[in-house]
Amino acid sequence: MAIEAPYSKHSTNNFIIGIGIFLAMAIIFAYDGYLSKYEWSLRHTFYEEHVKDGKPDFDMVFNQKSPFVFVALAAVVTVWFWARKNKKLLADENELIISDKKRISYDSIQQINKTYFEKKGFFVITYKNKGGGEVRLRLSDRKYDNLSAVLEHVVAKIS
């Protein structure tokens, strides 16, 4: 029976918060940079302070150009989120599957250090890769939900 650890809600929420912050910053700076010139704007005094003789100072230029950067950053984080949101860890009968390219057979696992799993929520797997080198993989419960069940399954398989 395979045990699955999906991408964590913690990481998903962090991505959503980051996207929201970038979009909020874009809106705030765009308002100050473009809409503050109108009399009805609540930030018209900002426009009067930072535009002298029709020439904007550094702050106004920054407020006019930065929204495009913030929207681009929000787009990059959104693409990064969509690429990672379906990521999961799978512990089946023969191997631990991290991704399509990264699979760790239980025979190659040398050590599991679960000293900090209860307090800090991570454990470290030391295994031999195909080239014969020793690799350490740190798995955290902030990145995957249901990690304790995967850990129990892996420990049972290598014992």
Side-chain angles (χ1 to χ4, degrees), residues 14 38 66 71 74 77 81 85 102 113 115 123 141 145 156:
N14 285 346
Y38 299 109
S66 65
V71 168
V77 171
F81 168 66
K85 77 174 187 138
K102 191 169 192 178
N113 184 354
T115 307
F123 63 92
D141 64 354
D145 289 336

Side-chain angles (χ1 to χ4, degrees), residues 103-157:
R103 295 170 177 254
I104 303 169
S105 69
Y106 295 134
D107 297 336
S108 67
I109 295 177
Q110 296 176 329
Q111 176 185 9
I112 297 177
N113 184 354
K114 55 183 181 176
T115 307
Y116 298 108
F117 189 67
E118 291 296 321
K119 290 183 181 178
K120 297 187 178 183
F122 71 90
F123 63 92
V124 179
I125 295 177
T126 306
Y127 66 96
K128 291 255 186 203
N129 63 7
K130 292 181 181 178
E134 190 174 282
V135 179
R136 292 179 188 202
L137 175 66
R138 180 179 174 194
L139 297 173
S140 173
D141 64 354
R142 293 191 181 204
K143 193 171 181 182
Y144 298 102
D145 289 336
N146 196 27
L147 200 57
S148 59
V150 170
L151 175 62
E152 289 174 14
H153 183 76
V154 171
V155 167
K157 285 295 184 179

Side-chain angles (χ1 to χ4, degrees), residues 15 18-24 26 67-82:
F15 274 112
I19 293 165
I21 287 172
F22 284 135
L23 291 177
F68 303 108
V69 174
F70 288 125
V71 168
L73 287 172
V76 167
V77 171
T78 302
V79 169
W80 188 16
F81 168 66
W82 284 105

Side-chain angles (χ1 to χ4, degrees), residues 87-89 96-100 102-104 137 144:
K87 187 175 181 181
K88 59 186 164 189
L89 189 66
L96 181 64
I97 303 169
I98 307 309
S99 66
D100 292 337
K102 191 169 192 178
R103 295 170 177 254
I104 303 169
L137 175 66
Y144 298 102

Side-chain angles (χ1 to χ4, degrees), residues 9-107:
K9 298 288 183 196
H10 176 80
S11 295
T12 301
N13 289 340
N14 285 346
F15 274 112
I16 292 170
I17 289 169
I19 293 165
I21 287 172
F22 284 135
L23 291 177
M25 296 293 284
I27 291 169
I28 290 168
F29 284 110
Y31 185 85
D32 278 350
Y34 294 104
L35 299 179
S36 65
K37 66 182 172 184
Y38 299 109
E39 296 282 333
W40 53 264
S41 173
L42 299 175
R43 298 277 293 166
H44 187 65
T45 56
F46 178 82
Y47 180 80
E48 291 171 346
E49 289 174 21
H50 295 286
V51 177
K52 304 291 184 203
D53 299 324
K55 294 192 179 207
D57 65 358
F58 174 78
D59 291 335
M60 183 58 79
V61 171
F62 179 81
N63 286 354
Q64 290 173 343
K65 294 187 180 186
S66 65
F68 303 108
V69 174
F70 288 125
V71 168
L73 287 172
V76 167
V77 171
T78 302
V79 169
W80 188 16
F81 168 66
W82 284 105
R84 298 186 63 85
K85 77 174 187 138
N86 292 327
K87 187 175 181 181
K88 59 186 164 189
L89 189 66
L90 189 65
D92 68 4
E93 295 302 317
N94 301 320
E95 59 192 359
L96 181 64
I97 303 169
I98 307 309
S99 66
D100 292 337
K101 297 177 184 175
K102 191 169 192 178
R103 295 170 177 254
I104 303 169
S105 69
Y106 295 134
D107 297 336

